Amino acid sequence: MASSSENDLGDLADLILNVGRLVRARTPTGGDIVELTETERHVMRIVDLHPGSSPSEIADLSRLQRSNVSTALRTLEDKGMVDRRPTSGRSIAVTPTERAHENLRQLQAAWADELRGIITTPASREAVTRCIEVLAQMEQHLIRPPADPR
């Protein structure tokens, strides 16, 4: 039987996924906002967190197949969201563009507007700050490259 804290962690993961879906469903479309597929969003998040990564590094960090990352990078480049530049040797460095930064700013502003009416007390605002710290810690841990099975 799972302990209460293990159940809490499972509940937390479930809530994170569900709240993310609900926020995403309220994301504005059209206008200046560049719409991205789920894979493109995932790849874009890795590029934002690790600018200058190679496509292989992005695949390792995202735990996506290299072919899916390549496809996403091509469409992100077509949408003006990433630049791919050669580095020394045969490697490529992927970085977000100013358009990507502006797109993220617009999305975050829309998401903040959605949540502003829910998070109204000083105590809940403090809880949000702590939640951001914990979730950022979790994200950093979860996007580490998988351990080498050797």
Side-chain angles (χ1 to χ4, degrees):
M1 185 167 137
S3 72
S4 176
S5 64
E6 288 172 343
N7 288 339
D8 288 349
L9 293 174
D11 288 344
L12 175 63
D14 188 40
L15 281 167
I16 290 168
L17 291 168
N18 196 42
V19 170
R21 282 187 209 101
L22 292 168
V23 169
R24 177 96 47 226
R26 292 173 177 251
T27 298
T29 58
D32 293 336
I33 293 178
V34 179
E35 293 183 44
L36 303 178
T37 67
E38 190 65 34
T39 301
E40 291 168 345
R41 282 192 293 270
H42 191 51
V43 168
M44 200 67 236
R45 181 66 179 171
I46 298 298
V47 172
D48 284 335
L49 291 172
H50 300 278
S53 294
S54 71
S56 292
E57 291 168 332
I58 294 167
D60 288 342
L61 292 169
S62 65
R63 292 184 171 82
L64 293 171
Q65 293 181 355
R66 282 174 173 63
S67 60
N68 292 346
V69 169
S70 293
T71 299
L73 287 173
R74 273 193 302 279
T75 59
L76 286 167
E77 193 171 33
D78 291 345
K79 292 176 180 182
M81 302 295 282
V82 298
D83 281 327
R84 295 194 282 183
R85 301 192 192 278
T87 61
S88 60
R90 295 175 32 178
S91 190
I92 299 289
V94 181
T95 56
T97 63
E98 183 52 40
R99 184 174 191 189
H101 293 301
E102 180 56 30
N103 199 60
L104 183 57
R105 280 190 289 273
Q106 288 181 32
L107 288 170
Q108 287 177 330
W111 297 332
D113 287 346
E114 257 327 298
L115 299 178
R116 193 169 286 112
I118 301 168
I119 310 297
T120 57
T121 67
S124 61
R125 291 184 188 271
E126 287 175 28
V128 166
T129 300
R130 181 66 185 129
C131 189
I132 290 168
E133 293 168 1
V134 170
L135 290 172
Q137 221 176 14
M138 291 168 67
E139 180 182 51
Q140 285 303 310
H141 176 78
L142 292 169
I143 63 170
R144 285 189 197 141
D148 189 351
R150 288 186 256 174

